[in-house]
Amino acid sequence: MDIEAFRKAGYAAIDRICDYYATLAERPVKAEVKPGYLINALPDHPPEQGEDFEVISSEFEKHVLPGITHWQHGKFTAYFPSISTFESMIGELYTASVSNPGFNWICSPACTELEQVVLDWCANLFDLHPDFYIKSKRGGGVIITTASEVVLTVAIAARERALRILSEKEPDVEEGVKTGRVPDSDTPMKIREKYGQRLVIYGSTHTHSLGAKAALLLGLQWKAVPVSAADNYSLRGDALRRVIEEDIANGLVPFFVIGTVGTTNTGAVDRIAEIGQVCRDYPTLFFHVDAAWAGVAYSVPSLRESLRHAEVNEYADSFCTNMHKWGLVGFDCSLLYVRNRQTLTSAMSMTPFYLRSKESEAGEVIDYRNWQLALGRRFRSPKLWFVLRSFGVSGFQKHIQRGVELSSRLGDMIRSSARFELVTPQSLSMVVFRLNPGQSPNALASDDLNKLNSKLSSRLDHRSDVFITPAMLGSEEGNMEVLRIQTGGYRTTMEDVLAVWKVVEEEGEALLRERE
Ligand SMILES: *Cc1c(COP(=O)(O)O)cnc(C)c1O
């Protein structure tokens, strides 16, 4: 393809994308295909001769689009939003046009510096503590693929930090420091052997599975501290402290705590200050705040208090939010902020001869490879830059507020319904509810209600015009099966919300009639 052919095919691609968006509302939300549909439709080997680009493009429409679940659809209310905007798409296009692995500043200085600029812009947008700014030279932000990889990254860094703290307490190291003699070179290995298997990661039973997964991948223990429905499923400091003290008594070493602002099940906000206080009492503990979904709401000052913004600023060692969920930037774009960048760089730095550069050695630049697991990295900042500039702070805030407003109107409808009830207070752009026809107040963990809601959820699962996720709320009071709707989609309107709710009501009514 030469430049002129690219010009033509590129314009045609944009036209096709515009047609897709113009007809999005008419499409089902969920893909209506059976497993293997695409594998069966496509040949099992690449073409011998290159094909016409027009043909390839039309086959994307013909074969791929039917297998797409339309996350950009106004009636998409499952999981969390994964918004893309035209601004973000154009940013991605520019990224693709200068493709490079960006591991060092010198790979393409703009890749590192634009990332630094937009990460400080976001720190400003979310009013983060000055330590989280790159210009503080102490901490700073970096774009990582996803919130799960962020936790893995930070947990590895926190493990190194904990082992370092522990090693300073080892008799031969202590002695070495005192006498000025270097302890024997096997010491780090010995420390690892001694403590490595005893390190524990903590979260709650409502922490995203990223906590358990990080522990699994690192060969460490994961402890999910129970929460209570009476606390709206948020993790309390006392409950965490009890588990930690018991673990220490059993010879385990607590090193990493995940607090969540906006849990996946209900949007609960853990008691950040209480947890932070526990972390301060145990020097090996590192406190990560996972605000993958809800963190972008820090852009709106009036929403900050309920999301414990000041507590995060005071206590978190690291903080993560996903711009690729509710934040108008296409997948992937997860922001990680650390209060002390050395926690990352002392665990992740690796500089073989061929990665050296004079700018790095002079300490003048950031080499983001030392802030992440992999060496190479995508140039993700243009899409974020385009979105922030095109929307402006006020446009971004308006988008967040609209999602909250849609949910609160849906919440009002559920509250006044005779058949449904809200099971937790509305959290931002999410409502959590269940069918409870008798409106029995103390039926919290009733098996019958759980079965009823499980049936409602499978009825809804058979419909492709809506996409609604169920959740199982485990707590000290028992398990409760519920449904959740999030209204944060960029293209979601009140009409969409009403239409989705109508489907839920109809399926609920049909289910109740069936039981009579
Ligand atoms: C969505 C979400 C995650 C997972 O995010 P990824 O970026 O897909 O890894 C983790 N934690 C919370 C609270 C979330 O909302």
Side-chain angles (χ1 to χ4, degrees):
M1 189 182 274
D2 60 19
I3 292 178
E4 285 314 312
F6 173 62
R7 195 187 301 279
K8 200 162 151 251
Y11 291 153
I14 299 287
D15 280 340
R16 285 177 191 276
I17 293 169
C18 291
D19 293 345
Y20 168 67
Y21 275 89
T23 56
L24 193 49
E26 298 149 28
R27 297 172 191 258
V29 178
K30 264 188 267 180
E32 295 169 315
V33 297
K34 297 267 178 298
Y37 95 96
L38 187 57
I39 298 162
N40 295 329
L42 299 182
D44 58 9
H45 54 85
E48 194 53 42
Q49 304 296 331
E51 294 178 284
D52 181 62
F53 210 76
E54 191 48 35
V55 174
I56 310 170
S57 304
S58 67
E59 297 218 340
F60 180 86
E61 250 168 76
K62 181 171 163 212
H63 292 302
V64 178
L65 277 188
I68 292 294
T69 289
H70 304 291
W71 287 63
Q72 309 311 319
H73 197 295
K75 293 196 185 70
F76 181 93
T77 60
Y79 311 106
F80 283 122
S82 182
I83 297 173
S84 193
T85 50
F86 296 132
E87 289 85 346
S88 174
M89 283 178 232
I90 292 174
E92 283 275 17
L93 195 56
Y94 285 115
T95 290
S97 74
V98 293
S99 183
N100 78 99
F103 46 81
N104 273 355
W105 179 86
I106 194 64
C107 287
S108 271
C111 295
T112 298
E113 294 197 10
L114 187 60
E115 188 159 332
Q116 291 183 223
V117 169
V118 291
L119 266 286
D120 274 1
W121 280 16
C122 287
N124 177 272
L125 178 66
F126 303 143
D127 193 28
L128 298 185
H129 188 281
D131 284 352
F132 289 120
Y133 284 69
I134 295 164
K135 61 172 176 260
S136 73
K137 299 229 185 320
R138 186 163 184 266
V142 54
I143 307 179
I144 306 262
T145 55
T146 63
S148 312
E149 193 176 320
V150 161
V151 161
L152 184 61
T153 308
V154 181
I156 289 172
R159 176 174 63 179
E160 294 311 303
R161 177 183 167 275
L163 289 173
R164 215 162 37 241
I165 292 169
L166 291 165
S167 84
E168 279 157 19
K169 293 213 184 83
E170 285 294 297
D172 62 333
V173 177
E174 253 176 349
E175 184 60 25
V177 171
K178 257 188 262 158
T179 60
R181 261 187 299 113
V182 185
D184 87 71
S185 61
D186 290 344
T187 305
M189 227 36 235
K190 284 191 204 142
I191 304 286
R192 238 163 253 278
E193 266 164 35
K194 182 165 167 191
Y195 295 107
Q197 300 297 309
R198 295 197 243 151
L199 296 166
V200 188
I201 303 181
Y202 301 84
S204 84
T205 48
H206 284 238
T207 301
H208 189 274
S209 59
L210 49 64
K213 183 149 182 186
L216 176 73
L217 294 176
L218 296 174
L220 303 175
Q221 297 188 49
W222 161 249
K223 291 269 170 93
V225 179
V227 295
S228 143
D231 286 329
N232 281 322
Y233 306 98
S234 60
L235 176 59
R236 302 296 305 255
D238 286 349
L240 175 67
R241 192 186 293 275
R242 272 195 297 279
V243 177
I244 286 180
E245 281 174 358
E246 198 182 305
D247 284 353
I248 291 175
N250 290 325
L252 298 176
V253 181
F255 84 104
F256 191 65
V257 176
I258 301 170
T260 308
V261 169
T263 60
T264 305
N265 282 336
T266 68
V269 180
D270 287 343
R271 303 298 181 100
I272 301 300
E274 291 180 9
I275 300 169
Q277 203 49 59
V278 174
C279 292
R280 285 194 181 166
D281 292 344
Y282 300 95
T284 52
L285 274 180
F286 185 96
F287 185 20
H288 175 70
V289 172
D290 176 18
W293 162 63
V296 294
Y298 282 160
S299 58
V300 181
S302 61
L303 296 174
R304 286 179 189 155
E305 195 180 336
S306 66
L307 300 174
R308 303 187 181 279
H309 173 265
E311 299 176 24
V312 168
N313 266 342
E314 182 171 351
Y315 288 99
D317 292 311
S318 58
F319 168 78
C320 169
T321 192
N322 284 348
M323 294 307 286
H324 66 238
K325 276 182 168 167
W326 197 10
L328 299 169
V329 179
F331 191 86
D332 51 0
C333 190
S334 195
L335 311 187
L336 163 63
Y337 287 94
V338 289
R339 204 180 284 274
N340 182 351
R341 65 180 73 171
Q342 270 183 5
T343 316
L344 290 176
T345 53
S346 48
M348 320 255 156
S349 296
M350 184 65 73
T351 310
F353 186 76
Y354 52 86
L355 290 182
R356 289 191 196 161
S357 78
K358 61 178 189 309
E359 295 81 6
S360 310
E361 268 157 38
E364 291 170 334
V365 297
I366 284 180
D367 289 327
Y368 270 133
R369 75 189 147 82
N370 296 330
W371 292 47
Q372 62 168 27
L373 299 180
L375 173 65
R377 54 205 318 279
R378 292 188 62 224
F379 184 24
R380 294 189 187 82
S381 49
K383 56 186 175 185
L384 180 50
W385 192 47
F386 279 33
V387 164
L388 292 174
R389 293 188 60 180
S390 177
F391 282 80
V393 170
S394 65
F396 194 91
Q397 291 168 329
K398 224 178 270 161
H399 157 68
I400 297 294
Q401 281 166 314
R402 218 180 58 88
V404 176
E405 170 65 19
L406 292 179
S407 264
S408 74
R409 288 171 69 185
L410 176 58
D412 288 344
M413 290 192 301
I414 297 174
R415 226 173 274 117
S416 61
S417 145
R419 302 228 182 276
F420 290 88
E421 64 176 0
L422 286 180
V423 297
T424 55
Q426 177 208 342
S427 174
L428 301 171
S429 57
M430 177 161 65
V431 291
V432 184
F433 61 94
R434 68 174 174 175
L435 187 56
N436 183 359
Q439 301 277 297
S440 55
N442 53 8
L444 208 56
S446 137
D447 282 349
D448 282 352
L449 274 185
N450 280 349
K451 274 190 207 123
L452 184 68
N453 281 279
S454 164
K455 279 193 188 136
L456 174 58
S457 152
S458 60
R459 289 183 80 107
L460 291 166
D461 202 30
H462 282 100
R463 301 194 58 144
S464 57
D465 55 343
V466 294
F467 195 174
I468 292 166
T469 351
M472 180 64 85
L473 309 187
S475 71
E476 284 169 336
E477 291 89 341
N479 288 329
M480 184 172 10
E481 184 147 356
V482 299
L483 292 155
R484 59 199 269 302
I485 288 179
Q486 63 76 20
T487 59
Y490 180 55
R491 293 167 187 83
T492 299
T493 61
M494 196 59 217
E495 288 68 50
D496 291 323
V497 175
L498 291 173
V500 168
W501 183 244
K502 188 154 170 266
V503 170
V504 176
E505 280 191 311
E506 280 168 6
E507 292 291 347
E509 295 289 343
L511 176 59
L512 293 175
R513 268 200 309 278
E514 215 172 65
R515 287 184 1 135
E516 273 159 16

